[in-house]
Amino acid sequence: MLLCITKRNMIDMFRPVRGMKDLFGSDIDRYQFIINKAIDIGKKYGFLHISTPILEHTDVFKRSIGDETDVVSKEMYTFEDRGGESLTLRPEGTAGVVRAIVSESLYQNLPVKLMYHGEMFRYDRPQKGRYRQFRQLGFEHIGEKNPYIDALTIAMGNEILHAIGVFDFRIFINTLGDDETRTNYTKALVKYLSRHKDSLSKESQIRLDKNPMRILDSKDKMDNEICSMAPLIVDYISKEAGNYFEKVCMLLDKIDINYDVDNFLVRGLDYYSHTAFEFKSIKEGSQNALGGGGRYDKLLKMFGGPDVSGIGFAFGVERLMLHMQKEHFDKRIKTAVIPVSDNENDIAFETLISLHNAGLNAEIILGGNISKKMKHAHRQNCDIAVIIGEDEIADNKVTVKFMQQNDIDNKMKSIHRGVLIPFLKDAYNI
Ligand code: AMP
């Protein structure tokens, strides 16, 4: 009894940390399917891969994302390492990629187009689709400031969603304007919000002095109500920024990409200017933000790099997994090679190797009687069983059983060993 309790306690003790989950089985297959598709599409658009460290100096995020954002002020995993340096587990990918472009002098050959994927960490309130460790898939295009690039970037995101089987989504875009726009808009916003200061949340009252635009993405109900009547950035847009945005919209129209202009879209991070966009699922449920991004003008300079603009976006991979259509996910067929008894093990082993050499997914199932082996194949989600018994060997044949087939006539086929590979390739559709 005592042993039992201790075991239970140990299992509880070693559960994953809250908001962090093990990824395995078909989830991992789906994850890899998404990443592979996105990488193929990224390559088509000229993006190269980059992998940056998960840990960065805390200032990398504080300076770029902004002290007053929720991400920096509430959600970062920050700690001192043994040498007393303040380090942070990356909460998003752009800051680290831009830091790497500067540290590695990659900006010497502009434009630089980089894609990344990997774990991000935010001390968020965990729920379905919202985790403390989650994965992002992102793209950064640095060194070209042009509405054509903004439209292309959004088009690439749109193409990735379709390629992985996410169809029920809308694209929302807005412009955050240039410096002139922001200076004029901030003045108007502060004037308006100051009139409602006493009704704003404590946090927003502080932000009113430090970074008023952040109040627009406050999660507080009363703040939201006040903000719904606030002046809109669109009314303060400079001529130049207005023309830029108009051109982006025109280009999207030209390539038949549907979008909605959302004047309230400001994005939760400080570094954006000009085009900002989000991909949102239209399915019910709170976790409908699939991804988003925008143009940033000052980020490279902030890290000591040249004064060039960039544009980027990131998808939340868990969100994509949640919203992709299952039938779109091309699960690869798996074959079980099953010797009826130990006497057929050698031939089954050779058969397995020949299937692997032909590029087919296959496993050998050994041990126990045939019914135990068939059950094992079912549990492993095998689609096809290649059964090799005494009779099959005598006739130089194998019995192929389609595990998911209900039609009795088509469930089993006896075929010549010499044609097994073309037969399976046909079944695998390759
Ligand atoms: P953001 O950098 O906040 O714009 O996030 C980009 C995307 O990452 C979002 O649209 C979500 O799809 C995803 N994401 C952000 N936070 C989380 C989280 N805590 N858990 C899962 N996915 C997230």
Side-chain angles (χ1 to χ4, degrees), residues 15-51:
R15 274 186 203 291
V17 174
R18 188 163 130 82
M20 307 195 176
K21 44 175 218 156
D22 301 310
L23 205 57
F24 57 92
S26 63
D27 279 351
I28 264 288
D29 288 344
R30 260 189 295 165
Y31 179 79
Q32 266 154 1
F33 170 75
I34 292 170
I35 300 298
N36 292 343
K37 281 269 181 225
I39 289 177
D40 279 351
I41 294 172
K43 278 187 188 155
K44 189 169 87 178
Y45 282 77
F47 283 77
L48 300 174
H49 218 136
I50 187 165
S51 171

Side-chain angles (χ1 to χ4, degrees), residues 363-397:
E363 312 180 23
I364 190 164
I365 301 189
L366 301 166
N369 59 25
I370 184 71
S371 100
K372 198 170 165 197
K373 287 176 186 170
M374 291 307 290
K375 275 191 195 138
H376 183 160
H378 265 295
R379 274 202 311 274
Q380 294 295 312
N381 289 323
C382 290
D383 307 274
I384 296 173
V386 172
I387 303 161
I388 306 172
E390 209 177 321
D391 294 346
E392 279 86 357
I393 291 184
D395 296 341
N396 205 17
K397 287 190 165 173

